[in-house]
Amino acid sequence: MAKSKTASEVTRFAPSPTGYLHIGHAFSALTAYHARGKGGSFHLRIEDIDPVRCKDEFTDAILEDLKWLGLEWETPVRKQSDHMADYEKALQKLTLKGLLYPCFCTRTEIKAEIVKSGHAPHGPDGPAYPGICRNLSDEKREDRMDDGEAYVRRIDMKGATAIAGPLGWKDLGMGMNKAQPEKFGDVVLARKDVPTSYHLAVTVDDHLQGVTLVTRGADLAPSTDIHRLLQGLLSYTPPAYHHHRLIKDTTGRRLAKRDQDMSIRALRESGYTPEEVVAMSGFEG
Ligand code: GLU
């Protein structure tokens, strides 16, 4: 179901500054930019919650490369690392509903428990969390926190889906999809090192930026089930989605940031024009 070209939408491109953008990103950014339609708006969001992998030099390069391609966006650019208070507010709402719990497990403990139980359900992101910390008493939780043990905050998926009820989301290409967040188990919404997560930050930001149409790669379609659940729990109006095809290299492999010869920057330095790079990305408008 194609949307009318005259529809006006609020769209966004939300790269993580962990490397230079390649032509797959150009395709994704152009898809979002053109989907805004007449009278719509386009936002650029820098998803830089990971302090180890994200670098300011890549943020600068993203802005420069997108400008070179001819894109213009609303200002200010939203940098997720500047908005931790917004994510905490959402976490507090979920806490008040009794849907978050602290989890003190290390990766090794989780792995060992999965091996021991021998039957961990497998979600789209790997084995689901086996629930070790789900039923700790309040007293035990407080003791461990008081002892300064690091913890993540996980969603109690069973409780959350019971409260939210059945949910679905609309994709412009795939039509209506039933949300099945339970497949992921008790996902982490706030990490040990940063008090948010991809799933939480993206949901809060799309809401706060008034995004009406989320365009992003098809690899992220499964995550939309979690985002839809969070929208339900936080009383956000859900946007529509367009999960677009992924751009592959000549061998059929999906492009990654390590494929530096396909970076916008490298192509530009070797003399390609913006129009040529747009054409190479496969974007047809
Ligand atoms: N930051 C994500 C990435 O670079 C994209 C997130 C999204 O579009 O929802 O892959």
Side-chain angles (χ1 to χ4, degrees), residues 12-18 21 25 28 45-48 80 198 202-203 206 214-217 219-220 223 227 241 243 254 257:
R12 51 55 158 199
F13 176 55
S16 305
T18 55
L21 299 183
H25 294 111
S28 197
R45 183 164 78 226
I46 301 297
E47 302 214 322
D48 62 345
Q80 290 189 323
Y198 161 64
V202 89
T203 307
D206 284 335
V214 171
T215 62
R216 60 185 173 199
D219 55 327
L220 289 170
S223 298
H227 306 167
Y241 290 85
H243 291 98
R254 194 184 143 198
K257 287 203 176 106

Side-chain angles (χ1 to χ4, degrees), residues 189-206:
L189 293 189
R191 296 166 22 172
K192 281 182 183 165
D193 56 340
V194 226
T196 185
S197 64
Y198 161 64
H199 296 307
L200 182 77
V202 89
T203 307
V204 169
D205 286 350
D206 284 335

Side-chain angles (χ1 to χ4, degrees), residues 18-38:
T18 55
Y20 294 121
L21 299 183
H22 54 61
I23 57 168
H25 294 111
F27 179 87
S28 197
L30 287 158
T31 301
Y33 185 62
H34 289 282
R36 76 196 188 290
K38 204 164 174 266

